[in-house]
Amino acid sequence: MKKIIFLFLLLSFTGMRAGNVPKGVEKARQSVATLLAYTKGELAGSCTAIFVGNRGDLLAAKPLFAAADSAVAIDASGKVRRVERVSGASDIYGCVKLRVVPDKKIKPAKVSASEVVPGDELYILSYGVKKKGFVEPVKVTAVDSLYSCAYYTLALPMQDKYNSLPVVNAAGELVALMQPASASDTVNSYAIGAAVFEKLKVTSANYGRGFLSGTAIRAALPETEQEALSCLYMQAMMGDSLSYRAAIDEFLGAFPGSYQGYICDAEFSAVYYRDMDAASGSWEKALSLSGGSAEVHYAKGKVINSIVLSGDTLSHPLLTFSNALEAVDKAISIDNQPAYLAYKADMLFAHGSHAAAAECYEVLATTNMRSPAVFSKASQCYGELKEYGKAVAMLDSAVNMLGDFPKQAAPYILTRALVKSSAGLYKESVIDFVTYENLMGTGLNAQFYFLREQAELNAKMYQQALNDIETAIYLSPEEPLYYLEKGMLCYRVKMTAEGIRALEKAKELAPSSSDIYYLLGRLYMQGGDKALAGENLEKAHSLGHPDAEKQLKAL
């Protein structure tokens, strides 16, 4: 990289130098810099830029940085500075704003507030160490507007060497930035007004999107706390831990009194480093800054719970379910938000505390978070407790809430069918299965018909069961379980020959299943063929079926 930078510095001495130029223009040349962009350590390109403002920002053409992962800026004195952030970009204006660490040696240009009219003379500046670059006078022939920003037509044939060069007035104030050359225009050149500098900002609306998602140079956080916090949360979801760490540090530096930054800092220490002592320190700092905010306790409980649930074997006194629950309970005691209670219910369920979780979900159903999903979760808790009456009642409430939207209720009706089947309410279960089928129409899969067949079988609805298992086989002809189920149904209703045909097919599909050979043996026994019955029962016995030997003795 040093050799490349030296080459650029050497070439800068060979440029044309203007003769008599206004003093303001001479001074403005100190603001011009060259940018070198790199991808994986290799030079990807260069362009001219200009320092503007007091935060170390440079204004330049955008395309150069689309694929860059790093860049440096070399000012008019030859000093090299690393580009730290992208502080703004626009596809509309074709410009990018980059930021270096500011220092007193940077000489930023002032953005002109003066009106420019056709006929005015401006000056194009190139980069050059110690004023070795060229100064090109140019006349303005037209002034238009591009999305509330001035757009200038200049009496100068456009060349590639002008791309991204700054344009100043006689006072040395920045007026515009040259636009890329157009092969179709050999008479004029064009420049976007310097007011674009203030329009190039990172916001929560463009953070991680468009150009800012295409370059590996990280975007700066916005200047307002709430906007910056929103971007910090977005950065957390992008999965780049190094960029997230840098964003946290940037946020804490810009907003040291914000407790939300320390919540993020604690989470980072705990999740990425498993440094629970550092995390504890950040949570304490957040609590101090927030005056004991419920949000801090809630965030702490969530992080501890997520690590405990991950199965991490790290031993630390803080990493227990009871500590996570205590933190969430503390948040609820300070600010009884339904969202906190919903998380508590979910964590209780995840840890197997189904009764306590059900209680939380039922309370949640009395808040503004009342929904079919909440009732469904409560039902799931009662199902785990084998309190099927309550489980069905919760699903009844879920379905009733969607009375005007029956198709949206379909998933809950299907779940209710399964719960009723588990409770031994087989005929009621079949009714729900049929309701679900009517709501969903065509396109149901083999598993649906298999599940309904089992409910019908237990309800002694044999013809319906036979129809459904046939449908399951039709939809999934390579699944041996369905043939086995048909064989078992046929055995029960003494359709011996039909059952044997189903199980012979099952045997082809799953030749190592002891259940298939055992049931096939029983069917041959039922049909009076002791030889084939014995053959299949012997095979079932060799495969480890627990009841085969007893049946062999009964032959």
Side-chain angles (χ1 to χ4, degrees):
M1 183 184 290
K2 289 182 178 179
K3 290 182 178 179
I4 295 171
I5 292 174
F6 176 76
L7 178 61
F8 272 86
L9 295 178
L10 181 63
L11 291 174
S12 69
F13 282 93
T14 63
M16 295 174 58
R17 184 174 182 178
N20 297 320
V21 297
K23 290 182 180 180
V25 176
E26 282 288 352
K27 184 178 179 181
R29 296 170 73 179
Q30 300 177 56
S31 306
V32 183
T34 191
L35 286 165
L36 309 183
Y38 297 88
T39 302
K40 296 180 180 179
E42 297 294 325
L43 184 67
S46 65
C47 73
T48 301
I50 186 166
F51 282 104
V52 186
N54 59 3
R55 302 190 65 178
D57 287 323
L58 299 106
L59 187 62
K62 176 176 71 64
L64 173 66
F65 297 92
D69 54 33
S70 64
V72 297
I74 310 172
D75 70 10
S77 70
K79 182 175 175 59
V80 180
R81 296 176 177 86
R82 185 169 71 91
V83 171
E84 299 287 336
R85 302 282 185 270
V86 178
S87 51
S90 170
D91 292 324
I92 294 174
Y93 301 118
C95 297
V96 64
K97 187 161 65 174
L98 304 168
R99 183 168 295 167
V100 301
V101 176
D103 60 62
K104 293 181 179 180
K105 292 185 178 180
I106 294 175
K107 307 295 183 183
K110 179 182 178 182
V111 175
S112 175
S114 303
E115 183 182 5
V116 175
V117 297
D120 283 354
E121 185 172 65
L122 301 176
Y123 301 87
I124 301 173
L125 306 181
S126 76
Y127 171 75
V129 176
K130 297 182 180 179
K131 303 180 182 179
K132 295 295 182 180
F134 66 79
V135 176
E136 183 90 35
V138 63
K139 291 285 186 181
V140 177
T141 59
V143 181
D144 297 299
S145 178
L146 178 64
Y147 294 100
S148 72
C149 201
Y151 197 76
Y152 302 106
T153 301
L154 307 177
L156 181 74
M158 190 61 178
Q159 301 179 45
D160 287 336
K161 70 176 183 177
Y162 295 131
N163 183 28
S164 193
L165 298 190
V167 182
V168 300
N169 58 22
E173 298 169 334
L174 181 65
V175 173
L177 192 72
M178 297 294 287
Q179 295 288 277
S182 172
S184 62
D185 195 332
T186 59
V187 177
N188 299 312
S189 56
Y190 304 90
I192 186 72
V196 72
F197 175 77
E198 291 299 330
K199 296 180 181 294
L200 300 181
K201 294 181 179 180
V202 178
T203 67
S204 57
N206 64 18
Y207 192 84
R209 296 182 177 90
F211 171 79
L212 295 178
S213 68
T215 177
I217 303 175
R218 195 176 67 78
L221 293 176
E223 295 179 10
T224 64
E225 182 178 338
Q226 196 55 49
E227 282 273 300
L229 188 61
S230 297
C231 294
L232 189 60
Y233 293 153
M234 283 189 275
Q235 185 66 61
M237 293 185 287
M238 291 177 188
D240 182 346
S241 61
L242 292 178
S243 293
Y244 183 38
R245 178 68 261 173
I248 292 171
D249 291 339
E250 182 181 352
F251 184 89
L252 292 175
F255 310 103
S258 172
Y259 70 89
Q260 286 98 338
Y262 288 97
I263 290 177
C264 295
D265 189 47
E267 181 179 8
F268 189 92
S269 297
V271 172
Y272 287 98
Y273 295 149
R274 291 298 193 263
D275 188 342
M276 302 311 299
D277 293 330
S280 294
S282 293
W283 280 318
E284 289 301 320
K285 181 71 171 178
L287 285 169
S288 174
L289 289 171
S290 67
S293 168
E295 184 182 351
V296 182
H297 291 289
Y298 176 61
K300 178 180 178 180
K302 285 181 66 178
V303 169
I304 295 172
N305 185 53
S306 69
I307 296 173
V308 172
L309 284 177
S310 73
D312 197 307
T313 57
L314 175 67
S315 177
H316 191 281
L318 197 57
L319 293 176
T320 66
F321 170 62
S322 61
N323 282 333
L325 185 60
E326 180 184 354
V328 173
D329 279 338
K330 182 67 174 177
I332 293 171
S333 71
I334 297 170
D335 183 6
N336 191 15
Q337 286 194 35
Y340 296 169
L341 182 62
Y343 185 79
K344 178 182 177 179
D346 289 345
M347 68 188 290
L348 286 167
F349 182 87
H351 287 278
S353 300
H354 299 120
E359 184 179 341
C360 288
Y361 287 127
E362 290 211 56
V363 172
L364 201 62
T366 65
T367 71
N368 59 6
M369 289 189 70
R370 174 187 174 90
S371 69
V374 168
F375 283 116
S376 180
K377 287 181 176 182
S379 173
Q380 193 174 357
C381 292
Y382 286 124
E384 292 290 338
L385 295 167
K386 295 185 169 35
E387 295 185 31
Y388 296 117
K390 290 183 178 180
V392 170
M394 291 296 105
L395 288 168
D396 287 343
S397 296
V399 172
N400 291 337
M401 282 194 73
L402 293 166
D404 295 332
F405 308 95
K407 196 159 188 176
Q408 292 182 29
Y412 302 108
I413 292 171
L414 179 59
T415 302
R416 190 172 64 183
L418 296 172
V419 173
K420 287 178 178 178
S421 187
S422 297
L425 303 171
Y426 301 117
K427 289 186 178 180
E428 292 184 29
S429 172
V430 171
I431 291 171
D432 273 349
F433 275 119
V434 172
T435 302
Y436 178 80
E437 181 183 36
N438 291 336
L439 287 170
M440 299 306 294
T442 58
L444 296 173
N445 60 23
Q447 179 71 2
F448 169 80
Y449 291 101
F450 171 65
L451 291 171
R452 188 167 71 179
E453 178 270 342
Q454 290 185 309
E456 290 163 338
L457 178 61
N458 285 309
K460 297 182 172 54
M461 301 167 68
Y462 297 125
Q463 186 58 56
Q464 293 93 326
L466 186 61
N467 293 341
D468 276 346
I469 200 62
E470 288 284 6
T471 303
I473 289 171
Y474 173 76
L475 292 171
S476 190
E478 301 302 312
E479 175 51 63
L481 173 63
Y482 300 151
Y483 293 96
L484 177 61
E485 182 70 16
K486 180 180 177 181
M488 186 163 52
L489 174 59
C490 289
Y491 178 81
R492 179 174 290 192
V493 297
K494 294 184 171 51
M495 296 174 61
T496 307
E498 186 75 13
I500 288 172
R501 282 193 294 271
L503 288 171
E504 288 290 354
K505 178 62 177 179
K507 192 164 67 173
E508 292 175 15
L509 296 171
S512 299
S513 171
S514 65
D515 288 334
I516 293 173
Y517 287 100
Y518 176 76
L519 185 56
L520 189 54
R522 294 298 301 273
L523 274 162
Y524 277 120
M525 285 178 67
Q526 190 179 70
D529 192 331
K530 291 186 177 183
L532 286 176
E535 180 183 318
N536 282 282
L537 288 170
E538 286 285 358
K539 182 65 174 178
H541 180 58
S542 70
L543 290 171
H545 196 284
D547 297 325
E549 185 177 9
K550 179 181 177 181
Q551 293 301 321
L552 281 168
K553 290 178 180 178
L555 278 175

